[in-house]
Amino acid sequence: MPPKKKKTQSLEETLWDAATALRSSMDAAEYKHVVLGLIFLKYVSDTFMVRHDELVRLVNDESSDYFMPTEAAKLSILEDRDEYTAEGVFWIPEGHRWSDLRKAGKQSDIGTRIDKAMEAIERENPSLKGVLPKNFSRQELTPEMLGGLIDVFSRSDLAAEEHKDLDVLGRVYEYFLGKFAGGEGKRGGQYYTPRAVVQLLVEMLQPYHGRVFDPACGSGGMFVQADKFVRAHGGTHADISVYGQESVPTTWRLAKMNLALRGIEANLGGEWGDSFHADKHPDLRADFVIANPPFNDDDWRGEKLRQDVRWKYGVPPLQNANFAWVQHMLHHLAPTGTMATVLANGSLASQQNGEDVIRKSLIENDLVECIVAMPSQLFFGTPIPVCLWFLTKNKAGRPNGAKTRSRMGETLFIDARHVGFMETRTRRAFTVDDVNKIADTYHSWRGTETSAGQSYEDVPGFCKAVTTDVIAEHGFVLTPGRYVGTEDADDDGEPLDDKITRLASEIKDGFKKRAELQEAVLMALDSLAVTDD
């Protein structure tokens, strides 16, 4: 069942409405960089001021090691760059902080001031080099628009939430990313994976600790959700090491800002780059690989990679990169790791261009662990249904030595095409219970932790564990509906012969009543007929 509708707007919704009202005729794809850049600027400035205020207290506290007796000495501490960066806080030069911009928000040169602030922050923080947007002085960004946005993100209700938890700006950033992606349709899907899909992938992978890799990381949503998962289970940022790659420069920058907002240290390469042709992590072997790569990419320049070492299970066709992505991820997967990827449904059964040969090789090498058929209308800009592939090189065990049941020679199929609810007229979403239903089925089959602690059993119409021999009998097709069957009808306890006799009698009675009704209507019509004398 869908969640109940909220009676009042959330803070994120309120801020979104206010920011949208200032957009005027600017294209959403351009406006998002303006808005998200300002959110990031406020975050780094506010975290700087939190540390600044902490130092103010310390230099004035006579019991503190930081205590300074003179104003000059206090100032030397408050403006010491190392006192901030040592705590993981970005150094924001004086004159370029949010308070400075807010004071100048109504001035005609506010765009130039923002550009200079972005340049100064990049200059003082090497990890942000080439990341921040710096085109706020262009003509279409009027002082009214920029000043209005500064006012929006200076609201008292946002400040109150920040006082409780600075992570609120990370949530605002993520919410805005999703809203912009929805407005851009298919283009938005290139940098944003719907939350329902990301949550499900992460809950199934359970990345408690280890190296997490996304070779098509978009705006970094997989990493944000993995970090949330770790912290929800009592861990910290340090429990996972994040590695990613993104080929679109503007999206790479969005990811860098998104992760910095969350305090997640990530290696996304020194710059953007194509995972197939400019692998930024050639020696990485990750414990968890998770990705939503471009669907059915026919322009991946595979002709230059015909002899590539990654194609261990077959050379991918030039017309479609689906199995190039699968094998690229397997190449970067540790011997005890698990990978999960979103693919178009054609990957499950295609017999074209040698894709069936690669799929057969993956199955015969016992790499395919689980296939989940997903419902349609999950993604922005396209109604097509997709599937989730889970693969591992170690069905006999579990990462980091934890014991599970052996799944060798077996694959789990889950048909989740009817799971979820219509969040809007055009887009489907999952509830927490929906996510847990699918994830718990997978973990109970694996023998790993589930939220309900149940043991696995096949459920007709939803899930079934199938041996490789049976898959071979079906021509190595991996469509879940082929294996899970149909849902069992409820048994009312009535013997079949008795049920047939009863239904036949009810049908005959129905025919008899219909004939009686028809006769009564005809008699009534005859009584109304007018005859000539």
Side-chain angles (χ1 to χ4, degrees):
M1 293 291 292
K4 293 181 179 179
K5 292 185 178 179
K6 293 176 285 189
K7 295 181 180 179
T8 58
Q9 279 192 321
S10 67
L11 175 60
E12 292 92 333
E13 290 170 327
T14 300
L15 293 173
W16 170 258
D17 287 347
T20 301
L22 294 164
R23 181 162 71 93
S24 185
S25 59
M26 177 171 277
D27 184 71
E30 290 293 320
Y31 192 57
K32 75 169 179 286
H33 297 292
V34 175
V35 173
L36 296 176
L38 286 175
I39 293 174
F40 181 81
L41 183 57
K42 185 171 197 301
Y43 171 81
V44 294
S45 185
D46 288 355
T47 53
F48 174 88
M49 292 309 301
V50 167
R51 176 59 177 164
H52 179 276
D53 294 345
E54 180 184 18
L55 289 172
V56 168
R57 290 192 297 271
L58 291 173
V59 297
N60 287 297
D61 183 355
E62 295 184 6
S63 65
S64 167
D65 293 337
Y66 278 82
F67 175 69
M68 291 292 168
T70 67
E71 291 303 314
K74 291 176 181 178
L75 185 60
S76 70
I77 293 292
L78 296 179
E79 294 298 321
D80 184 348
R81 185 178 184 278
D82 292 342
E83 291 293 344
Y84 297 84
T85 57
E87 297 297 320
V89 175
F90 292 110
W91 171 253
I92 312 301
E94 189 174 4
H96 300 296
R97 297 163 190 171
W98 188 261
S99 57
D100 300 313
L101 296 176
R102 189 177 182 187
K103 291 175 184 176
K106 299 298 187 291
Q107 297 183 20
S108 60
D109 65 343
I110 184 60
T112 301
R113 289 172 181 265
I114 296 172
D115 283 340
K116 288 182 177 179
M118 296 292 191
E119 291 167 359
I121 293 170
E122 281 196 353
R123 187 168 56 249
E124 295 290 342
N125 301 277
S127 65
L128 295 177
K129 183 179 180 181
V131 171
L132 306 183
K134 296 178 287 293
N135 54 359
F136 289 84
S137 57
R138 50 191 162 146
Q139 185 176 2
E140 61 267 34
L141 296 179
T142 64
E144 291 75 20
M145 178 189 293
L146 294 176
L149 286 171
I150 290 173
D151 286 342
V152 166
F153 297 125
S154 300
R155 290 168 56 110
S156 59
D157 49 357
L158 176 58
E161 287 298 316
E162 282 189 89
H163 184 71
K164 301 174 189 175
D165 183 6
L166 270 173
D167 190 50
V168 66
L169 278 174
R171 298 197 302 272
V172 170
Y173 188 96
E174 183 181 12
Y175 180 84
F176 276 43
L177 267 176
K179 296 294 285 186
F180 278 122
E184 291 181 56
K186 190 172 183 179
R187 283 190 301 172
Q190 295 174 355
Y191 63 84
Y192 184 85
T193 302
R195 182 180 297 182
V197 178
V198 179
Q199 288 177 332
L200 179 58
L201 287 167
V202 170
E203 287 295 332
M204 293 179 75
L205 277 184
Q206 291 186 336
Y208 288 107
H209 49 81
R211 293 154 298 185
V212 180
F213 176 51
D214 183 347
C217 69
S219 55
M222 300 289 189
F223 300 136
V224 170
Q225 189 62 39
D227 181 72
K228 286 182 182 177
F229 176 89
V230 169
R231 290 188 287 129
H233 290 82
T236 68
H237 293 310
D239 289 333
I240 58 174
S241 301
V242 170
Y243 300 85
Q245 184 158 349
E246 170 56 43
S247 63
V248 180
T250 54
T251 303
W252 180 83
R253 295 185 182 104
L254 290 176
K256 293 278 284 188
M257 289 191 289
N258 193 15
L259 298 177
L261 275 164
R262 299 291 187 164
I264 301 172
E265 293 188 15
N267 182 347
L268 303 187
E271 60 180 1
W272 54 91
D274 184 291
S275 287
F276 294 136
H277 300 272
D279 192 345
K280 302 297 182 183
H281 310 285
D283 300 321
L284 174 65
R285 298 297 179 267
D287 301 295
F288 305 95
V289 180
I290 180 170
N292 172 28
F295 296 162
N296 303 322
D297 186 2
D298 62 357
D299 189 28
W300 65 287
R301 296 179 293 142
E303 68 278 1
K304 298 181 179 181
L305 300 170
R306 294 293 84 188
Q307 305 300 319
D308 198 280
V309 68
R310 289 170 288 186
W311 315 147
K312 185 175 179 180
Y313 305 99
V315 179
L318 302 179
Q319 300 88 344
N320 194 314
N322 286 343
F323 285 105
W325 282 112
V326 170
Q327 294 188 82
H328 176 77
M329 291 181 229
L330 281 171
H331 177 75
H332 282 290
L333 188 64
T336 58
T338 303
M339 62 162 277
T341 185
V342 184
L343 292 178
N345 276 357
S347 62
L348 301 173
S350 172
Q351 305 292 320
Q352 298 179 337
N353 305 312
E355 290 185 325
D356 54 332
V357 176
I358 300 174
R359 187 171 57 248
K360 176 182 177 183
S361 181
L362 294 172
I363 297 166
E364 290 182 333
N365 280 278
D366 212 14
L367 297 168
V368 183
E369 189 176 47
C370 178
I371 300 290
V372 183
M374 299 287 277
S376 60
Q377 295 181 285
L378 282 172
F379 286 81
F380 297 118
T382 176
I384 66 169
V386 299
C387 56
L388 308 183
W389 287 58
F390 290 80
L391 297 93
T392 181
K393 299 174 182 177
N394 184 36
K395 279 189 181 179
R398 174 71 170 150
N400 304 309
K403 294 182 179 180
T404 67
R405 65 182 290 273
S406 172
R407 292 101 55 209
M408 295 179 68
E410 190 173 276
T411 297
L412 176 66
F413 291 94
I414 299 175
D415 190 346
R417 288 176 296 172
H418 304 294
V419 175
F421 68 98
M422 294 305 294
E423 185 176 47
T424 68
R425 184 177 58 84
T426 59
R427 197 169 71 253
R428 182 176 290 270
F430 289 158
T431 65
V432 172
D433 288 341
D434 293 332
V435 170
N436 287 339
K437 176 182 179 181
I438 300 169
D440 284 351
T441 299
Y442 172 66
H443 289 300
S444 63
W445 172 76
R446 290 188 103 202
T448 47
E449 176 186 346
T450 69
S451 64
Q454 78 269 28
S455 58
Y456 176 77
E457 61 180 35
D458 292 339
V459 178
F462 179 67
C463 65
K464 187 174 181 62
V466 178
T467 64
T468 300
D469 289 342
V470 172
I471 296 174
E473 292 173 4
H474 286 265
F476 297 96
V477 169
L478 295 178
T479 307
R482 180 173 294 219
Y483 301 99
V484 302
T486 57
E487 184 177 1
D488 286 340
D490 292 335
D491 186 0
D492 56 11
E494 183 179 10
L496 180 60
D497 290 344
D498 292 350
K499 182 176 291 188
I500 292 174
T501 300
R502 175 178 59 79
L503 291 175
S505 177
E506 290 176 358
I507 291 171
K508 290 176 181 178
D509 287 345
F511 287 157
K512 181 179 179 181
K513 289 179 180 178
R514 186 182 69 178
E516 292 172 351
L517 179 60
Q518 180 178 336
E519 184 177 354
V521 171
L522 290 173
M523 291 177 62
L525 290 173
D526 288 342
S527 67
L528 296 173
V530 178
T531 59
D532 295 330
D533 292 331

